[in-house]
Amino acid sequence: MNTFILLGPPGAGKGTQADLISAELGIPKISTGDMLRSAVASKSDLGNRVEDILNSGKLVSDDIIIELINDRINQSDCKSGYLFDGVPRTLGQANLFLQNDIEVKKVIDISLDDELIIKRMSGRRFHIASGRSYHIEFNPPKAEGLDDDTGEPLIQREDDFPETVKKRLEVYHAQTKPLTDFYKLKASEGSMSFISINGNQSVDEVFSEIKSYLYK
Ligand code: AP5
């Protein structure tokens, strides 16, 4: 089974690469960020509980995340594999993955410096329904302000405003960055493999490095 985690700071390009990997391998992308935003948009109980947390750049609790993931991977489209985009993002979640026997064979870490992240976030435009992201300069849609596949309008995410991006970066360094060492250790023990990729390259260049790893 093809089972992957995409790790990396906010804005490193995880969502962009997740869409390309998903199309390449025919496996679903599982993005907890997309799932939570969709809950907020539909004003469900979960959405109402997490809306303020998302807008502040803090993390939703590990219990909510593991419940979402367990439900999602039991759906039929995950039978031949799946790609986690932005989850796990705390050591607590990584340990819950192990306790729940959630299979992961390969971990792809995309790295990018904080200054470049801030630049990318300010130009990001987002299609909420699909999770597709664009950049006004680096990765523009075919028609300005519109999603390539649906033609629907793109938005700027509330958590992409500069003060919230700073908070998200603080949270990343404190709570998510330690996962790189956690998975490097697992890889050295032989239970999975790990690769780190320089995110400061074009979308195609990053994908080309990832693609050669997918089939190893
Ligand atoms: P989430 O949606 O997961 O956000 P994130 O991890 O912060 O990642 P982003 O979606 O912001 O960035 P990305 O790496 O996908 O970059 P993208 O491809 O768009 O989470 C949002 C919130 O939900 C969290 O803050 C938290 O509150 C909550 N949450 C989610 N999961 C959780 C969990 N597991 N536990 C607890 N809470 C959770 O690219 C960025 C921009 O750069 C785009 O404009 C893109 O077009 C452009 N770009 C991409 N690649 C390149 C390139 N190579 N060169 C130039 N530009 C590029």
Side-chain angles (χ1 to χ4, degrees), residues 3-20:
T3 50
F4 300 89
I5 291 173
L6 265 177
L7 275 184
K14 300 182 298 296
T16 303
Q17 296 298 328
D19 287 334
L20 297 170

Side-chain angles (χ1 to χ4, degrees), residues 11 15-16 32 37 58 89 93 124 133-134 168 201:
T16 303
T32 37
R37 274 185 292 278
K58 294 183 189 153
R89 65 171 85 193
Q93 289 174 25
R124 172 157 64 178
S133 64
Y134 301 86
R168 288 165 67 197
Q201 310 181 74

Side-chain angles (χ1 to χ4, degrees), residues 59-161:
L59 295 182
V60 168
S61 75
D62 292 349
D63 293 354
I64 290 181
I65 295 296
I66 202 70
E67 197 180 326
L68 280 176
I69 292 298
N70 270 326
D71 285 350
R72 183 64 188 87
I73 60 172
N74 282 317
Q75 291 171 18
S76 58
D77 63 332
C78 292
K79 284 210 168 76
S80 60
Y82 41 78
L83 166 70
F84 292 120
D85 164 10
V87 61
R89 65 171 85 193
T90 63
L91 287 170
Q93 289 174 25
N95 281 312
L96 284 168
F97 270 43
L98 293 176
Q99 285 161 28
N100 284 266
D101 291 324
I102 297 171
E103 181 187 308
V104 174
K105 288 198 177 135
K106 293 183 176 175
V107 177
I108 302 167
D109 177 53
I110 305 179
S111 62
L112 195 67
D113 288 345
D114 289 6
E115 307 87 75
L116 286 168
I117 287 171
I118 290 166
K119 196 169 172 197
R120 283 196 189 173
M121 298 303 222
S122 62
R124 172 157 64 178
R125 297 295 177 270
F126 208 75
H127 182 240
I128 287 273
S130 66
R132 274 184 289 279
S133 64
Y134 301 86
H135 192 282
I136 49 176
E137 185 185 342
F138 308 129
N139 187 21
K142 290 178 191 137
E144 194 182 328
L146 301 177
D147 177 51
D148 287 350
D149 285 11
T150 62
E152 288 167 356
L154 303 175
I155 57 125
Q156 190 166 13
R157 273 170 42 182
E158 274 199 43
D159 60 348
D160 277 355
F161 294 115

